[in-house]
Amino acid sequence: MVCVRFTANLAKHIDCPQASVDGGTVRQALEAYFQQHPGVRSYILDDQGAVRPHVVIFADGLPVRDRAHLSDPLETGSTLDVMQALSGG
């Protein structure tokens, strides 16, 4: 199982509870999460299925490298942290 969790800041905008899901890649884990919480999908991914520019996803503490296809591998016990990207200066 993979733990998918969201920052409190994101939870202010959309109901996105922490959940454990199956998945060998970031895409598979997120799709399993979206089956349970379909309203979260459009906030995290764009129409092409890529991570939106204002979102950052970390897999086991490292930024997800493949933001378009989400092919980064996961292991049982992995954690995905989803948060809003910060910008500005």
Side-chain angles (χ1 to χ4, degrees), residues 42-66:
S42 63
Y43 195 84
I44 304 302
L45 303 180
D46 64 19
D47 294 340
Q48 309 305 310
V51 179
R52 289 190 178 278
H54 69 275
V55 174
V56 177
I57 301 174
F58 289 86
D60 297 323
L62 299 173
V64 168
R65 290 182 284 174
D66 182 2

Side-chain angles (χ1 to χ4, degrees), residues 6 9 12 21-22 24 29-30 33 35 41 43 46 52 56 60 62 75:
F6 299 80
N9 191 35
K12 291 179 186 177
V21 298
D22 288 322
L30 286 177
Y33 183 89
Q35 286 181 353
R41 184 182 220 290
Y43 195 84
D46 64 19
R52 289 190 178 278
V56 177
D60 297 323
L62 299 173
E75 297 181 16

Side-chain angles (χ1 to χ4, degrees), residues 22-37:
D22 288 322
T25 66
V26 173
R27 166 84 57 208
Q28 292 170 346
L30 286 177
E31 292 298 341
Y33 183 89
F34 299 148
Q35 286 181 353
Q36 297 174 18
H37 308 281

